Amino acid sequence: MFEPRIVCFLCTWCTSAGADLAGTSRLQYRPNGVNIKFMCSSRVDPEHVLWAFREGADGVLIGGCHPGDCHYQDGNYRTQARVSLLYRLLDDFGIDRARLRLEWISAAEGTKFAAVMNEFTEELRSLGPIKLAAREMAK
Amino acid sequence: MSERTGLAPPKSPPVRLTRETVSGGFKKRVIELSGQNMDSCYQCGNCSSGCPVAQEMDILPNRIMRLAQLGLKDDIIHSATLWICASCFQCTVRCPRGIDIQGVMDTLRQIALDEGVDHFGPDQIDPEQAASVPQPGLVGVYRKLST
Amino acid sequence: MKRIGVFICHCGINIAGTVDVKRVAEEVAKLDSVVYAQDYIYMCSDPGQALVREKIRQEKLDGIIIAACSPSLHESTFRTAAEEAGLNPWQCEIANIREQCSWVHTDRKKATEKAIRIVSTMVEKTRLNESLEPIPVSITKKALVIGGGIAGIQAALDIADSGHKVILVEKESSIGGHMAQLSETFPTLDCSQCILTPKMVAAGKHRNIQLMTYSEVEEVSGYVGNFNVRIRRKAPFVDWSTCTGCGLCMEKCPAKVPSEFDRGLSTHGAIYIPFPQAVPNKPVIDRESCIYFKTGKCRLCEKTCEIGAIKFDQEDQIIEEEIGAIITATGYETLPVTELQEYGAGEVPDVIDGLAFERLLSASGPTSGEVRRPSDGRVPKEVVFVQCAGSRDPERYRPYCSKICCMYTTKHALLYKHRVHDGQPYIFYIDIRTGGKGYEEFYHNAEQDEGIIYLRGKVAKIFRDGDKTIVWGTDTLTGRNVEIQADLVVLATAVVPRESTAELVKKLRIQTGPNGFLSEAHPKLRPVESINSGFFIAGVAQGPRDIPETVAQASGAACKVISLFSRDHLEQDPAIAWVDEELCGGCRICISVCPYDAREYDEEKCIARVNEALCEGCGSCVAACACGATQQRNLSDSQIKSMVTASLGGE
Amino acid sequence: MAKVAYYPGCALKERSSHLDTSARDSAVRLGFELDELPTWTCCGAVPPVSEERVMNLVAPSRILKDVRDSGRDVLITICDFCYNTLKRTNYSIRTNEITRKRINAFLADDEPERDYIEKKDAYWVDYTGEVRVVHLMEYLRDEIGYGNIREKLKRPLSGLKIAPYYGCVMLRPQNEIQLDEPENPSIIEDFIDSLGAETIRYPYRTECCGSYLSVSSPDASTRLCYRILTSAQQHGADAMVISCPLCFYNLDSRQKAIAEAYPDFKPIPVFYFTQLLSVALGVDEGRQGFERHFVDVAPVLDMILQGSGKGDRT
């Protein structure tokens, strides 16, 4: 079966803590993602996402605090604004928007983190491996 | 609402607890006679788990204690358990609350006998046995199980 | 090229049970820069740490990765160990292969692959890590305690006694909280007010405590050691500086308002103090129910007050304070009886909650301590207590155990029995939980010597029939259903966080758990701190607990604050933004995104600088910077890119 | 020869008299005499239910008072039922003042009417529990000593594997009886050891045999006895040793019913402790009433006799 590779950019205060809670609660989910922890989801530069796709990621997850809950006041709003613009860019690159997900997962939502990972993995499976023209040509 | 006559009685009607059932009457008498504080039973079930004749009973000893706590006399005195208890004191020795459960069982038997629930009479003994059982067996059975 | 060492923890079987740690060590040893890779059963143990220190020296490591549990648990442990061995702490990184790998996967092969990728990712980060020094930051040695219940009072007193200033903010007009409402306390049956009021008075008089009652926190900004707080002092419409607390105004007030303090069992005027022992003992006018405010006529209180302390034109004040640490002790509410549909939804008058029963028992309560039921004032003879009313019910109400109800219900039944000798208390329970000093004995006594009947089962339905309140329950121990014609029913309603706490945590930006209680930094090892530094928590706002636990935790939180204040300055994480002055074009987009005003424009050089004391290291400006001039220390774009590549298994 | 007051009780006086004989024989060999009380009545077999039935304490109290009045302070009994009843009666007289007063009022009241007793001139003295009720097993342990028994053995039971059976009333209720640790007793084991035999440990030694249920619910008793006996056998026992005539009856005679109910069951000989003692001390096996046992003891007896063969057959 196709095992998609996922890069997860998680904010330390909410989503990474939520992922830790999924662990302490011993929830089980698909092992397709590797987490990269930032202080705030607003550290995610659109370039990081594009780089991930370039490097062969089948999907990218950005996890931040719920609106209004950002540890840095409004970082997650900036993330959201950047992701909206990024979607338009993805269209231009021919990358399915579904391959980039922005989720608000709080430190208390271990179950949500596990559910998102499962759901995203399944969705990427149905989309199949990412195909980038440049990479194809390089091969 | 009164029950219509001719209907079969309900299998498990709720019991109505009142001050009288849970502290007076029957319960008071059990406490007086046995000298045991049944209210200190916290239903750990040790009496039942160690009872050598539990397998013969219809209501386990811990539940008998519970019924007595709530003063539910009828459930108790019509229970076969009273007449199965062999007075072996296993429950008494092991009770973590120090209740002489065997003593309570004796008391309940006595009350049942006083109420006319005569369980056992000489006519029920197999004559061959009557002639051979050592006297403590005969004396014990009459004292415990008959009026 | 850096010399990196990787240390892989088995965590007993917690990691090694799912992840093939030997293989992880073998695989990561092949990576560039990794000169040493070793697994060990408990990395955080003394010998484990000794191994790390020894190898740093022996192998001349200039970067290490500990592949173990979440960095929230042991990052500081290993950074300290690294420092002891002469390695800069910022050259030590944690790869989380427990919470985010071994505990959440079962397939050994896949979990091992993932662990290798996690470690590789951190190797990439470490390869480019710089050695950093912490940034010193000054501390304002003044604490803010939010909530004036027993937790807040205790914390404020402890901090004040250590010589530091404290502001104690309480939204009601008096401190005291729920403990002031209680009649007696379990298991000693001390009179609650008798032990609480001296502490209230002490807090009111302490020269280091500034009491701000009838006040609420509006806004908090800043960071540990240097918070800016805006507090709203609600207008009491009484000049407290001149009011003598004589109480004449309250006698004259014609309005009738149900007393919140007495749980609606009595009334007071629109101008009132919540209870006679209030601290400060000054009245406030409730704007909502004051006849003058509603109709423009009355002002009886103003006419009565000889010294002219009534000020209808008073307005709310906003006070700004600089604060070094904040303790949140906002307490709890109980689930309203109206929410419990099957228990009469608040429409059966003789179904009340535990706090209301406390008031009925209290000598200073509406019935002067005589137990009289609300419907007709008669002394109830059959009283049913229902535990877990809304607790331990994940389907409909609250999933958690409210913890205090077993004991206070036993206390209620006991006190009732002491007041009404021929009365019969019944307690319906699911389990009796008596984990506390003297609690089992207290319960044992109630059960065996006081004639209280404990019934193991939940009450299904409560309804009114004539002047009786019918309770349908069961006793699973006899296997019989039970019906009781009660005179009074007392519900041990679930302990719930205050609604106002939810708004407050948004202002403070601290975390709450799924049930709305405040989250601690670590459930076992950091129970009085919030994850966010400078914020501490105490009392039931964190979760249901009894008075001794609350007081202990409040003192614990106070000690944490005192320990913070004992330092000359704080050390701030240096993993913050910096600017490559050569690249900066001075577009100032960074200034617009910084939430802390940490980005400043240098008019002379026409570039945007970073104020290191203010930067919290969120990285928002780094992502915003169009020309790559702003970077984050130890999380640069190039680091992130190579981490991404490594996380995908390399290419 | 020292004389010790002895209360045989009804079972040993009549239906189980062979057990009584062996006790007396053994005592003589060990250097004391079981001196039967001149007059005695049934003890009542079970202590009364409650304080309301204090009348039931009168009979055992009277027995104890007579011992005291005869100037002795120890009373030996060998039946567990009598032991339990007398000892617990004594316990309530000692510890419960109201019971003590009521009992003595009864005793004083019926004194003159008991014309079959020789009238005493002594003035009335309340019985306050002075007499010590002692089980013969206890007397052997505390007064005679196992060393003494070992020395006097004529036919050590070496090679014999014996399963002790305690039953209930010898040990329980513990706070009133205080003979041995109720959950893990050792007195019968030590006794068996002193006879030179090997003790078998098995889990059912303190489990009830059904007691008087043997009369009212025989099937219940059969189930219990089957469990006890087969467990002892599975642990390698050649024989059982018992200290209560009712247990003896249940475990011996009931083997008939057990064999009918459980086809796999194999009989196992059951001995009263005094029988084994008596045989080991060299008393003629013909005096033990073995013919009255339901289960044939011959195989075990042969082992004993062959093992030593030195018994003097008086």
Side-chain angles (χ1 to χ4, degrees), chain A residues 18-49:
Chain A
D20 278 357
L21 179 64
T24 46
S25 317
R26 307 296 200 276
L27 303 172
Q28 298 295 315
Y29 57 83
R30 307 245 186 281
N32 298 54
V34 168
N35 303 338
I36 296 179
K37 197 177 70 155
F38 292 168
M39 293 304 276
C40 178
S41 59
S42 67
R43 174 70 186 91
V44 180
D45 192 321
E47 210 182 308
H48 302 151
V49 178

mmCIF file of all heavy atoms in Angstrom, chain A residues 18-49:
data_model
loop_
_atom_site.group_PDB
_atom_site.id
_atom_site.type_symbol
_atom_site.label_atom_id
_atom_site.label_comp_id
_atom_site.label_asym_id
_atom_site.label_seq_id
_atom_site.Cartn_x
_atom_site.Cartn_y
_atom_site.Cartn_z
ATOM 1 N N GLY A 18 -0.488 18.889 22.037
ATOM 2 C CA GLY A 18 -1.605 17.986 21.746
ATOM 3 C C GLY A 18 -1.093 16.638 21.261
ATOM 4 O O GLY A 18 -1.616 15.582 21.623
ATOM 5 N N ALA A 19 -0.031 16.671 20.437
ATOM 6 C CA ALA A 19 0.563 15.420 19.955
ATOM 7 C C ALA A 19 1.168 14.652 21.128
ATOM 8 O O ALA A 19 1.094 13.420 21.185
ATOM 9 C CB ALA A 19 1.625 15.717 18.894
ATOM 10 N N ASP A 20 1.767 15.389 22.071
ATOM 11 C CA ASP A 20 2.278 14.736 23.280
ATOM 12 C C ASP A 20 1.139 14.094 24.069
ATOM 13 O O ASP A 20 1.278 12.994 24.598
ATOM 14 C CB ASP A 20 3.010 15.756 24.171
ATOM 15 C CG ASP A 20 4.445 15.989 23.717
ATOM 16 O OD1 ASP A 20 4.881 15.315 22.761
ATOM 17 O OD2 ASP A 20 5.126 16.849 24.316
ATOM 18 N N LEU A 21 0.013 14.812 24.137
ATOM 19 C CA LEU A 21 -1.129 14.260 24.874
ATOM 20 C C LEU A 21 -1.642 12.988 24.201
ATOM 21 O O LEU A 21 -1.993 12.014 24.868
ATOM 22 C CB LEU A 21 -2.251 15.303 24.975
ATOM 23 C CG LEU A 21 -3.518 14.835 25.694
ATOM 24 C CD1 LEU A 21 -3.205 14.522 27.157
ATOM 25 C CD2 LEU A 21 -4.611 15.894 25.632
ATOM 26 N N ALA A 22 -1.652 12.989 22.859
ATOM 27 C CA ALA A 22 -2.050 11.761 22.154
ATOM 28 C C ALA A 22 -1.136 10.624 22.596
ATOM 29 O O ALA A 22 -1.569 9.484 22.776
ATOM 30 C CB ALA A 22 -1.942 11.974 20.647
ATOM 31 N N GLY A 23 0.135 10.951 22.804
ATOM 32 C CA GLY A 23 1.096 9.944 23.261
ATOM 33 C C GLY A 23 0.820 9.487 24.664
ATOM 34 O O GLY A 23 0.702 8.282 24.913
ATOM 35 N N THR A 24 0.670 10.422 25.584
ATOM 36 C CA THR A 24 0.427 10.009 26.978
ATOM 37 C C THR A 24 -0.911 9.293 27.100
ATOM 38 O O THR A 24 -1.091 8.479 27.993
ATOM 39 C CB THR A 24 0.477 11.210 27.944
ATOM 40 O OG1 THR A 24 -0.269 12.272 27.390
ATOM 41 C CG2 THR A 24 1.885 11.671 28.193
ATOM 42 N N SER A 25 -1.851 9.590 26.188
ATOM 43 C CA SER A 25 -3.135 8.880 26.212
ATOM 44 C C SER A 25 -3.057 7.578 25.437
ATOM 45 O O SER A 25 -4.044 6.865 25.317
ATOM 46 C CB SER A 25 -4.248 9.738 25.605
ATOM 47 O OG SER A 25 -4.172 11.058 26.046
ATOM 48 N N ARG A 26 -1.896 7.271 24.854
ATOM 49 C CA ARG A 26 -1.647 6.038 24.099
ATOM 50 C C ARG A 26 -2.649 5.860 22.944
ATOM 51 O O ARG A 26 -3.095 4.751 22.662
ATOM 52 C CB ARG A 26 -1.721 4.807 25.006
ATOM 53 C CG ARG A 26 -0.855 4.832 26.252
ATOM 54 C CD ARG A 26 0.626 4.872 25.909
ATOM 55 N NE ARG A 26 1.458 4.431 27.015
ATOM 56 C CZ ARG A 26 1.858 5.184 28.026
ATOM 57 N NH1 ARG A 26 1.492 6.467 28.091
ATOM 58 N NH2 ARG A 26 2.610 4.690 28.993
ATOM 59 N N LEU A 27 -2.991 6.997 22.309
ATOM 60 C CA LEU A 27 -3.852 6.879 21.137
ATOM 61 C C LEU A 27 -2.999 6.328 19.999
ATOM 62 O O LEU A 27 -1.799 6.553 19.954
ATOM 63 C CB LEU A 27 -4.399 8.266 20.752
ATOM 64 C CG LEU A 27 -5.174 8.973 21.861
ATOM 65 C CD1 LEU A 27 -5.506 10.389 21.452
ATOM 66 C CD2 LEU A 27 -6.452 8.196 22.184
ATOM 67 N N GLN A 28 -3.616 5.604 19.117
ATOM 68 C CA GLN A 28 -2.844 5.034 18.014
ATOM 69 C C GLN A 28 -3.216 5.750 16.730
ATOM 70 O O GLN A 28 -4.387 5.975 16.459
ATOM 71 C CB GLN A 28 -3.142 3.532 17.888
ATOM 72 C CG GLN A 28 -2.749 2.736 19.113
ATOM 73 C CD GLN A 28 -1.244 2.747 19.357
ATOM 74 O OE1 GLN A 28 -0.454 2.561 18.436
ATOM 75 N NE2 GLN A 28 -0.838 3.009 20.595
ATOM 76 N N TYR A 29 -2.203 6.132 15.950
ATOM 77 C CA TYR A 29 -2.490 6.726 14.641
ATOM 78 C C TYR A 29 -1.392 6.359 13.660
ATOM 79 O O TYR A 29 -0.362 5.797 14.029
ATOM 80 C CB TYR A 29 -2.697 8.242 14.753
ATOM 81 C CG TYR A 29 -1.558 9.031 15.358
ATOM 82 C CD1 TYR A 29 -0.467 9.418 14.587
ATOM 83 C CD2 TYR A 29 -1.589 9.428 16.695
ATOM 84 C CE1 TYR A 29 0.561 10.167 15.129
ATOM 85 C CE2 TYR A 29 -0.562 10.177 17.254
ATOM 86 C CZ TYR A 29 0.514 10.545 16.471
ATOM 87 O OH TYR A 29 1.528 11.276 16.998
ATOM 88 N N ARG A 30 -1.611 6.705 12.396
ATOM 89 C CA ARG A 30 -0.699 6.312 11.326
ATOM 90 C C ARG A 30 0.659 7.000 11.489
ATOM 91 O O ARG A 30 0.727 8.190 11.751
ATOM 92 C CB ARG A 30 -1.284 6.687 9.974
ATOM 93 C CG ARG A 30 -2.684 6.159 9.759
ATOM 94 C CD ARG A 30 -2.779 5.158 8.653
ATOM 95 N NE ARG A 30 -4.177 4.823 8.431
ATOM 96 C CZ ARG A 30 -4.871 3.991 9.193
ATOM 97 N NH1 ARG A 30 -4.298 3.424 10.226
ATOM 98 N NH2 ARG A 30 -6.138 3.736 8.932
ATOM 99 N N PRO A 31 1.724 6.242 11.251
ATOM 100 C CA PRO A 31 3.065 6.783 11.496
ATOM 101 C C PRO A 31 3.649 7.512 10.301
ATOM 102 O O PRO A 31 4.870 7.507 10.116
ATOM 103 C CB PRO A 31 3.855 5.516 11.827
ATOM 104 C CG PRO A 31 3.196 4.444 11.035
ATOM 105 C CD PRO A 31 1.744 4.819 10.891
ATOM 106 N N ASN A 32 2.817 8.140 9.481
ATOM 107 C CA ASN A 32 3.339 8.690 8.231
ATOM 108 C C ASN A 32 3.939 10.074 8.366
ATOM 109 O O ASN A 32 4.612 10.548 7.468
ATOM 110 C CB ASN A 32 2.229 8.717 7.171
ATOM 111 C CG ASN A 32 1.749 7.311 6.861
ATOM 112 O OD1 ASN A 32 1.373 6.576 7.767
ATOM 113 N ND2 ASN A 32 1.802 6.933 5.613
ATOM 114 N N GLY A 33 3.681 10.750 9.475
ATOM 115 C CA GLY A 33 4.175 12.116 9.601
ATOM 116 C C GLY A 33 5.358 12.216 10.540
ATOM 117 O O GLY A 33 5.469 11.449 11.491
ATOM 118 N N VAL A 34 6.256 13.155 10.259
ATOM 119 C CA VAL A 34 7.303 13.479 11.221
ATOM 120 C C VAL A 34 7.100 14.938 11.611
ATOM 121 O O VAL A 34 6.872 15.796 10.772
ATOM 122 C CB VAL A 34 8.708 13.255 10.612
ATOM 123 C CG1 VAL A 34 9.783 13.866 11.498
ATOM 124 C CG2 VAL A 34 8.958 11.763 10.430
ATOM 125 N N ASN A 35 7.146 15.166 12.932
ATOM 126 C CA ASN A 35 6.834 16.502 13.419
ATOM 127 C C ASN A 35 8.081 17.376 13.489
ATOM 128 O O ASN A 35 9.129 16.929 13.950
ATOM 129 C CB ASN A 35 6.232 16.413 14.817
ATOM 130 C CG ASN A 35 4.989 15.543 14.841
ATOM 131 O OD1 ASN A 35 4.351 15.356 13.799
ATOM 132 N ND2 ASN A 35 4.639 15.026 15.997
ATOM 133 N N ILE A 36 7.935 18.601 13.044
ATOM 134 C CA ILE A 36 8.991 19.592 13.240
ATOM 135 C C ILE A 36 8.369 20.707 14.070
ATOM 136 O O ILE A 36 7.334 21.271 13.698
ATOM 137 C CB ILE A 36 9.508 20.120 11.883
ATOM 138 C CG1 ILE A 36 10.170 18.950 11.118
ATOM 139 C CG2 ILE A 36 10.504 21.261 12.100
ATOM 140 C CD1 ILE A 36 10.696 19.319 9.754
ATOM 141 N N LYS A 37 8.984 20.939 15.216
ATOM 142 C CA LYS A 37 8.355 21.820 16.188
ATOM 143 C C LYS A 37 8.884 23.237 16.067
ATOM 144 O O LYS A 37 10.097 23.448 16.067
ATOM 145 C CB LYS A 37 8.654 21.258 17.591
ATOM 146 C CG LYS A 37 7.764 21.795 18.666
ATOM 147 C CD LYS A 37 8.081 21.122 19.992
ATOM 148 C CE LYS A 37 9.439 21.595 20.468
ATOM 149 N NZ LYS A 37 9.634 21.508 21.899
ATOM 150 N N PHE A 38 7.966 24.188 15.935
ATOM 151 C CA PHE A 38 8.317 25.615 15.949
ATOM 152 C C PHE A 38 7.723 26.221 17.210
ATOM 153 O O PHE A 38 6.800 25.655 17.791
ATOM 154 C CB PHE A 38 7.731 26.333 14.724
ATOM 155 C CG PHE A 38 8.361 25.922 13.408
ATOM 156 C CD1 PHE A 38 7.773 26.299 12.215
ATOM 157 C CD2 PHE A 38 9.536 25.186 13.368
ATOM 158 C CE1 PHE A 38 8.337 25.949 10.999
ATOM 159 C CE2 PHE A 38 10.108 24.822 12.169
ATOM 160 C CZ PHE A 38 9.504 25.204 10.974
ATOM 161 N N MET A 39 8.216 27.394 17.563
ATOM 162 C CA MET A 39 7.588 28.048 18.706
ATOM 163 C C MET A 39 6.145 28.420 18.369
ATOM 164 O O MET A 39 5.249 28.283 19.171
ATOM 165 C CB MET A 39 8.368 29.308 19.109
ATOM 166 C CG MET A 39 9.765 29.008 19.655
ATOM 167 S SD MET A 39 9.730 27.879 21.050
ATOM 168 C CE MET A 39 9.392 29.029 22.362
ATOM 169 N N CYS A 40 5.958 28.915 17.132
ATOM 170 C CA CYS A 40 4.632 29.376 16.722
ATOM 171 C C CYS A 40 4.419 28.967 15.279
ATOM 172 O O CYS A 40 5.377 28.908 14.494
ATOM 173 C CB CYS A 40 4.548 30.900 16.863
ATOM 174 S SG CYS A 40 2.971 31.593 16.332
ATOM 175 N N SER A 41 3.176 28.681 14.926
ATOM 176 C CA SER A 41 2.919 28.295 13.531
ATOM 177 C C SER A 41 3.267 29.451 12.588
ATOM 178 O O SER A 41 3.508 29.232 11.401
ATOM 179 C CB SER A 41 1.451 27.888 13.358
ATOM 180 O OG SER A 41 0.603 28.957 13.724
ATOM 181 N N SER A 42 3.339 30.652 13.128
ATOM 182 C CA SER A 42 3.661 31.788 12.255
ATOM 183 C C SER A 42 5.140 31.787 11.840
ATOM 184 O O SER A 42 5.565 32.601 11.040
ATOM 185 C CB SER A 42 3.333 33.112 12.955
ATOM 186 O OG SER A 42 4.179 33.308 14.054
ATOM 187 N N ARG A 43 5.941 30.873 12.380
ATOM 188 C CA ARG A 43 7.308 30.723 11.912
ATOM 189 C C ARG A 43 7.342 30.023 10.542
ATOM 190 O O ARG A 43 8.329 30.063 9.841
ATOM 191 C CB ARG A 43 8.126 29.924 12.948
ATOM 192 C CG ARG A 43 9.553 29.572 12.531
ATOM 193 C CD ARG A 43 10.423 30.809 12.483
ATOM 194 N NE ARG A 43 11.778 30.566 11.965
ATOM 195 C CZ ARG A 43 12.137 30.665 10.697
ATOM 196 N NH1 ARG A 43 11.238 30.966 9.775
ATOM 197 N NH2 ARG A 43 13.386 30.476 10.330
ATOM 198 N N VAL A 44 6.240 29.363 10.196
ATOM 199 C CA VAL A 44 6.239 28.624 8.932
ATOM 200 C C VAL A 44 6.230 29.606 7.762
ATOM 201 O O VAL A 44 5.308 30.393 7.590
ATOM 202 C CB VAL A 44 5.008 27.684 8.838
ATOM 203 C CG1 VAL A 44 5.043 26.927 7.523
ATOM 204 C CG2 VAL A 44 4.980 26.727 10.010
ATOM 205 N N ASP A 45 7.286 29.543 7.002
ATOM 206 C CA ASP A 45 7.418 30.372 5.807
ATOM 207 C C ASP A 45 6.830 29.548 4.662
ATOM 208 O O ASP A 45 7.118 28.352 4.559
ATOM 209 C CB ASP A 45 8.922 30.606 5.588
ATOM 210 C CG ASP A 45 9.188 31.675 4.556
ATOM 211 O OD1 ASP A 45 8.442 31.708 3.550
ATOM 212 O OD2 ASP A 45 10.133 32.452 4.761
ATOM 213 N N PRO A 46 6.039 30.155 3.792
ATOM 214 C CA PRO A 46 5.495 29.394 2.656
ATOM 215 C C PRO A 46 6.590 28.635 1.916
ATOM 216 O O PRO A 46 6.362 27.551 1.383
ATOM 217 C CB PRO A 46 4.884 30.480 1.771
ATOM 218 C CG PRO A 46 4.495 31.546 2.728
ATOM 219 C CD PRO A 46 5.518 31.524 3.826
ATOM 220 N N GLU A 47 7.769 29.207 1.945
ATOM 221 C CA GLU A 47 8.884 28.566 1.284
ATOM 222 C C GLU A 47 9.189 27.194 1.876
ATOM 223 O O GLU A 47 9.580 26.263 1.179
ATOM 224 C CB GLU A 47 10.104 29.472 1.450
ATOM 225 C CG GLU A 47 11.082 29.379 0.315
ATOM 226 C CD GLU A 47 12.285 30.271 0.600
ATOM 227 O OE1 GLU A 47 12.086 31.464 0.906
ATOM 228 O OE2 GLU A 47 13.416 29.750 0.558
ATOM 229 N N HIS A 48 9.001 27.076 3.226
ATOM 230 C CA HIS A 48 9.241 25.775 3.874
ATOM 231 C C HIS A 48 8.310 24.720 3.291
ATOM 232 O O HIS A 48 8.684 23.570 3.088
ATOM 233 C CB HIS A 48 9.023 25.849 5.384
ATOM 234 C CG HIS A 48 9.899 26.861 6.079
ATOM 235 N ND1 HIS A 48 9.532 27.503 7.236
ATOM 236 C CD2 HIS A 48 11.118 27.355 5.755
ATOM 237 C CE1 HIS A 48 10.478 28.336 7.616
ATOM 238 N NE2 HIS A 48 11.463 28.272 6.732
ATOM 239 N N VAL A 49 7.079 25.135 3.059
ATOM 240 C CA VAL A 49 6.079 24.195 2.551
ATOM 241 C C VAL A 49 6.442 23.757 1.130
ATOM 242 O O VAL A 49 6.443 22.572 0.800
ATOM 243 C CB VAL A 49 4.670 24.842 2.578
ATOM 244 C CG1 VAL A 49 3.635 23.888 2.012
ATOM 245 C CG2 VAL A 49 4.316 25.266 4.008
#
